[in-house]
Amino acid sequence: MKYLMLKTTCLLIVGATLVLSCKKDAASSGTGTTTTVPDVFKKFNTSVTISVEGNYIVLKSTGLPDHKSPYFATTHAQYEAYNGTNPNYAKNPNSIQSQNYVFKIPVNPAKAGSAVATSLGPMGISINGVPLFNQYAAGNAPLTNEINSFDQYNGHPQQTGQYHYHVEPFFITAQKGRNALIGFLLDGYPVYGPMENGSILTSSQLDAYHGHVAVTADYPNGIYHYHITADAPYINGNGFYGTPGTVTQ
């Protein structure tokens, strides 16, 4: 009898210890969520810090490109004078500055009941941590003139030094391929380059949001995704396909 009582006491102590341990682990994780970061996010470079908070993937970035640009200070190691192909190139007066972006995008994106328009500023993040902007310049003007300020990798900074891409990021597509993952928009849906199944796409082949449902290398069962094209709206069309998360800076 004493042996049985001692054994029962030991089991109760072990059980209590396990419960306390579980509670501690849940508290230290913030939400207690055990969801891991999906493998596709491993395609982001190491400058982007990635974690999971509840139903959101959290991506933190300084927004600094991993390539050279004439928009770095001439004393910066990544400075490079313009050597692109645009004969009308004209450098804008802004310089690249480090930022503190926090993007929160849905882990499991779903089509929105009604579209939310993209706003000026970051609407997504590329795999090198640089923000993706929509098809408009300041004041929702077309990019017709602003395109001439894009550097040799198709990016430029705005007034507060936020370097960004409105169009195909040549450094990424040159490295990864024109059919490769470029990044994600705030609604959690991926963005791919202009090529699919060996063909270059145009906007006319995509829906109003500038995407479609198809199989990709990262999603063999198919997923809605956006494509970058050479013609407007370049990355996104009439708002987000899904419900957007948030970005703070």
Side-chain angles (χ1 to χ4, degrees):
M1 178 65 72
K2 288 183 178 179
Y3 172 75
L4 288 173
M5 290 177 65
L6 180 61
K7 185 175 181 181
T8 301
T9 302
C10 290
L11 287 172
L12 289 172
I13 292 172
V14 170
T17 302
L18 287 171
V19 169
L20 289 172
S21 176
C22 290
K23 287 184 177 179
K24 182 179 180 182
D25 288 344
S28 65
S29 68
T31 62
T33 300
T34 57
T35 305
T36 56
V37 174
D39 284 347
V40 67
F41 288 92
K42 294 177 182 177
K43 294 196 170 184
F44 280 76
N45 72 18
T46 55
S47 70
V48 182
T49 302
I50 306 172
S51 59
V52 177
E53 287 185 10
N55 296 320
Y56 292 90
I57 297 287
V58 180
L59 303 102
K60 297 180 180 180
S61 170
T62 62
L64 297 175
D66 56 346
H67 55 73
K68 296 184 177 182
S69 173
Y71 288 105
F72 281 110
T74 55
T75 55
H76 196 283
Q78 286 174 257
Y79 171 80
E80 181 180 70
Y82 181 77
N83 56 13
T85 59
N86 182 2
N88 298 314
Y89 170 74
K91 184 176 180 291
N92 76 29
N94 308 317
S95 298
I96 296 172
Q97 302 293 330
S98 181
Q99 309 293 322
N100 292 298
Y101 295 115
V102 180
F103 292 84
K104 290 187 176 183
I105 67 175
V107 174
N108 299 303
K111 188 179 188 305
S114 58
V116 175
T118 60
S119 60
L120 297 179
M123 67 169 182
I125 181 173
S126 58
I127 60 172
N128 64 354
V130 172
L132 299 172
F133 278 31
N134 69 15
Q135 69 268 37
Y136 299 114
N140 289 322
L143 290 176
T144 310
N145 296 320
E146 191 164 299
I147 281 176
N148 291 326
S149 70
F150 295 171
D151 65 20
Q152 52 267 47
Y153 297 111
N154 255 355
H156 70 169
Q158 44 79 287
Q159 295 88 335
T160 62
Q162 295 180 13
Y163 186 84
H164 57 278
Y165 306 120
H166 293 271
V167 295
E168 180 181 350
F170 288 149
F171 188 76
I172 294 176
T173 54
Q175 278 193 324
K176 307 295 184 181
R178 301 192 77 194
N179 61 343
L181 178 74
I182 302 299
F184 286 81
L185 293 196
L186 285 174
D187 60 359
Y189 286 107
V191 180
Y192 284 85
M195 181 174 285
E196 188 168 79
N197 298 322
S199 298
I200 298 296
L201 300 174
T202 63
S203 292
S204 64
Q205 296 171 279
L206 303 170
D207 67 17
Y209 305 103
H210 215 242
H212 63 183
V213 176
V215 168
T216 75
D218 307 296
Y219 298 93
N221 294 322
I223 190 172
Y224 183 88
H225 58 278
Y226 303 98
H227 276 283
I228 291 177
T229 62
D231 59 324
Y234 311 110
I235 299 175
N236 176 263
N238 295 328
F240 294 103
Y241 180 80
T243 302
T246 62
V247 56
T248 57
Q249 48 194 288

